[in-house]
Amino acid sequence: MGRIVVEVMPKPEILDPQGKAIRSGLERMGLSAFADVRQGKLFHLDVEGPVTDEALAAAREAAGTLLSNPVIEDVIAVREATPEEAAQ
């Protein structure tokens, strides 16, 4: 079984209140090394058999139409999972 990873992030010009809340929480924990935090989404799409070019193309289409809101989010990556990611 293969796995495709899709990463989606808010566009840079879009406010990210969850990211700001996480950054604030990190500072309260004494972890002040981070200048900014942006929270995105990560999808694991499993396919029967190995990941093919056709499966990646279908994942790109899904990423641009269903998995993300193209008005406020960017699809950062659509790729085959690393062995470590595939084992999760």
Side-chain angles (χ1 to χ4, degrees):
M1 180 176 296
R3 178 170 285 170
I4 297 171
V5 175
V6 177
E7 299 174 47
V8 177
M9 291 294 293
K11 291 182 182 272
E13 62 272 14
I14 299 297
L15 295 176
D16 182 7
Q18 291 174 314
K20 292 201 182 308
I22 292 166
R23 181 173 184 264
S24 177
L26 290 169
E27 286 180 347
R28 285 193 302 276
M29 293 173 62
L31 302 170
S32 59
F34 308 104
D36 193 22
V37 176
R38 304 280 291 168
Q39 180 180 347
K41 299 185 281 190
L42 178 73
F43 298 92
H44 287 181
L45 306 175
D46 291 335
V47 297
E48 294 294 331
V51 174
T52 63
D53 289 341
E54 292 80 16
L56 284 168
R60 284 186 194 94
E61 182 177 349
T65 57
L66 179 65
L67 303 179
S68 70
N69 178 343
V71 174
I72 61 170
E73 296 173 316
D74 288 327
V75 176
I76 302 301
V78 177
R79 58 180 171 75
E80 185 171 2
T82 66
E84 294 81 15
E85 292 169 322
Q88 295 178 354

